[in-house]
Amino acid sequence: MQQAEDFREESSVLFALLAEAPADVFDSVTQFKDWTVNDVLGHLHFFNAAAEAALKGPEAFEAMMASAMAELAGGASILELQYPWLDGLRGPDLFRAWRAGVDRLAGAYLKADPKARVPWVGPDMSALSAITARQMETWAHGQEVFDLLGQARPETNRIRNIAHLGVATFGWSFRVHGHSVPEPAPHVVLTAPSGEVWTWNTPQEGNRVEGSAVEFAQIATQVRHWSDTQVKATNGTARQWMMQAQCFAGPPTAPPAPGTRFRLLQEG
């Protein structure tokens, strides 16, 4: 699956950033819920390992997740559930373990049947969806690290996987918030990093979302508030979607408040 290589490349961009970062970067606090870089890497490493176990089958996945699900049932947060599994792993050791885990996961999914069903915390999904979700989460959580270090991430057309996921979860973005799904879905017109134009859904002048594919992905993954981007949406359904877009599973989550997620200025 090309998406497995896209996941590997997405991770490599974050590897390169952190490899050049100051030694104390792992304890630095990001703009995402006060998570540290250690928290971000631990979260990515844990769920990458979960996706690797899922490909091996339900028994391997359940064994991997048993302790974490017990933590969650006991009131632990999505961040805290990774702690028992990590067993104190942090800093450069966590960085190396995460990097090795990425290579294992990409290699496993590269050879997998895209249509194979794999278990997950919620409903099962295709192997294709599972590895795309890993790219999405790596890209989304990578954003807070790029913002923290004042760096602009080099983007490529592999962002299409995440933009497509954002479009495909239009209905979910309404259902998860307890709303009925309006029809039809908006026409989506996005400009790729290469300048290519990508479109989804039936053309409708009065029901349209248009802009940068990268900024659309930022909205769908909730790393930016819609008003902090240049993405345009017509009144009605398209505008409501942009105010609550959520391309990831879990409980309803509000996007960051306007002006609270941004790239910090580099010192000097």
Side-chain angles (χ1 to χ4, degrees), residues 46-71:
F46 175 81
F47 281 101
N48 285 349
E52 185 180 0
L55 196 59
K56 297 174 183 177
E59 287 188 7
F61 179 72
E62 289 169 13
M64 157 78 196
M65 294 298 291
S67 175
M69 297 311 293
E71 291 286 325

Side-chain angles (χ1 to χ4, degrees), residues 19-128:
E20 299 296 324
D24 62 354
V25 68
F26 300 106
D27 292 317
S28 298
V29 177
T30 73
Q31 296 170 349
F32 177 72
K33 301 181 180 180
D34 291 332
W35 283 22
T36 65
V37 175
N38 268 319
D39 294 332
V40 171
L41 294 186
H43 181 77
L44 293 177
H45 184 42
F46 175 81
F47 281 101
N48 285 349
E52 185 180 0
L55 196 59
K56 297 174 183 177
E59 287 188 7
F61 179 72
E62 289 169 13
M64 157 78 196
M65 294 298 291
S67 175
M69 297 311 293
E71 291 286 325
L72 203 60
S77 67
I78 193 70
L79 174 60
E80 293 168 332
L81 65 79
Q82 72 196 29
Y83 293 156
W85 184 81
L86 289 171
D87 193 25
L89 190 64
R90 58 188 294 108
D93 290 338
L94 172 58
F95 176 77
R96 287 188 288 270
W98 164 60
R99 185 167 189 172
V102 163
D103 284 336
R104 287 195 309 272
L105 182 62
Y109 275 80
L110 190 63
K111 298 176 288 187
D113 176 358
K115 296 180 181 179
R117 304 303 294 179
V118 298
W120 200 241
V121 178
D124 65 1
M125 65 180 92
S126 68
L128 175 61

Side-chain angles (χ1 to χ4, degrees), residues 116-149:
R117 304 303 294 179
V118 298
W120 200 241
V121 178
D124 65 1
M125 65 180 92
S126 68
L128 175 61
S129 294
I131 198 63
T132 300
R134 299 318 306 141
Q135 181 198 351
M136 177 273 291
E137 193 163 30
T138 300
W139 184 86
H141 281 294
Q143 186 67 59
E144 56 242 34
V145 182
F146 274 91
D147 288 343
L148 172 71
L149 296 177

